[in-house]
Amino acid sequence: MQRRAIGIIGGMGPMATLDLFNKVLQHTDAHCDAEHIRVYLDCHTGIPDRTKAILCGGESPVPYILESAAKLAQIGAELLLIPCNTSHYFYEEIAQKSPVPVMNMIRETVKAIRNQGVTKVGLLATDGTVQLGVYQRELEKVGIETICPGTDAQAEVMRLIYEGVKGGAPTFDVSAVEREMQRMREAGAERIVLGCTELPIGFATYGVVAEDTIDAAEELAKAAVAAAGYPVK
């Protein structure tokens, strides 16, 4: 299989960008520097907020994402990754106009869930991702039911993402999010999907311990290593 260089369209947010890069490294079965994938990274922090664009009529992120895609392709990227779940609302337009292939984090995550034989999941994600059914549509196609947070719990998830991780808070009260995860389990969720790339960072930073989560960024990283033609660890 031909090996391809990866480009990461980053900045949504910066910590999630670094987290995806780390996961690509961690899941490449390499034993020296030269066996790792060549990765180009554009931490484009000027990309407009995706949730505001979807729900509040804010500026579209698509032209900015395509600008990053073009620059990454120009310097050698042959396969693009976007470490932002919410931006996948715009995936079809981005993929159609990108100069090189763009992987779909949502579909790779759903594929991993299906392969585990799971039939019901809980979803933690941004308002945009949840309200527009970015995950629910793909899960429904393969017969997997989705449990979404209630209004108050969803507000706490958004606080964790924006005030906690994006805000750089050294500590954050995650008890409300933990209670919502337990409610989802009691309602039959076999896995909890971390459908925002800030959430794994927040869980690690603020001490959320959960062995039943599916990390979308990690699933994208593993799929990308394979798609780039490298052995997956």
Side-chain angles (χ1 to χ4, degrees):
M1 182 177 181
Q2 181 183 359
R3 292 190 165 182
R4 296 189 283 179
I6 285 174
I8 298 177
I9 301 174
M12 304 175 281
M15 291 180 69
T17 302
L18 179 60
D19 184 55
L20 177 63
F21 181 42
N22 281 334
K23 285 168 178 168
V24 168
L25 294 178
Q26 291 164 5
H27 287 290
T28 304
D29 190 9
H31 303 92
C32 66
D33 293 349
E35 292 183 357
H36 277 283
I37 304 169
R38 186 163 191 173
V39 178
Y40 299 93
L41 192 157
D42 181 12
C43 191
H44 192 350
T45 55
I47 297 174
D49 186 271
R50 284 63 58 198
T51 293
K52 288 181 180 178
I54 294 168
L55 298 181
C56 306
E59 186 178 7
S60 172
V62 172
Y64 297 82
I65 291 172
L66 290 172
E67 175 197 346
S68 184
K71 288 182 177 179
L72 288 166
Q74 186 177 26
I75 61 175
E78 299 163 283
L79 181 68
L80 299 178
L81 314 180
I82 307 176
C84 170
N85 288 270
T86 310
S87 69
H88 283 68
Y89 173 75
F90 307 97
Y91 175 79
E92 298 303 333
E93 181 180 359
I94 293 167
Q96 182 180 23
K97 296 179 180 178
S98 171
V100 295
V102 182
M103 294 196 70
N104 188 307
M105 176 159 53
I106 311 300
R107 291 173 188 163
E108 294 300 338
T109 303
V110 170
K111 191 185 304 181
I113 295 168
R114 182 189 60 195
N115 289 343
Q116 292 183 23
V118 171
T119 59
K120 184 182 288 190
V121 298
L123 174 64
L124 301 180
T126 64
D127 289 349
T129 299
V130 172
Q131 292 185 32
L132 273 297
V134 175
Y135 267 98
Q136 296 94 309
R137 283 194 301 273
E138 295 296 328
L139 288 163
E140 186 177 1
K141 288 177 185 177
V142 295
I144 299 172
E145 184 179 345
T146 308
I147 302 171
C148 296
T151 303
D152 291 344
Q154 180 61 32
E156 289 299 320
V157 173
M158 287 291 282
R159 285 188 62 241
L160 171 56
I161 294 167
Y162 281 86
E163 297 178 23
V165 180
K166 288 182 182 292
T171 61
F172 191 86
D173 182 2
V174 294
S175 58
V177 174
E178 290 176 316
R179 286 194 299 272
E180 180 60 15
M181 292 170 67
Q182 185 57 34
R183 183 195 71 81
M184 289 174 166
R185 295 181 187 110
E186 292 170 358
E190 300 160 76
R191 297 287 188 275
I192 308 294
V193 179
L194 303 185
C196 171
T197 46
E198 267 82 22
L199 288 173
I201 300 166
F203 278 32
T205 303
Y206 307 126
V208 179
V209 178
E211 296 182 357
D212 57 350
T213 58
I214 298 283
D215 178 348
E218 186 163 33
E219 298 307 329
L220 175 62
K222 290 187 287 188
V225 171
Y230 288 76
V232 181
K233 180 167 63 177

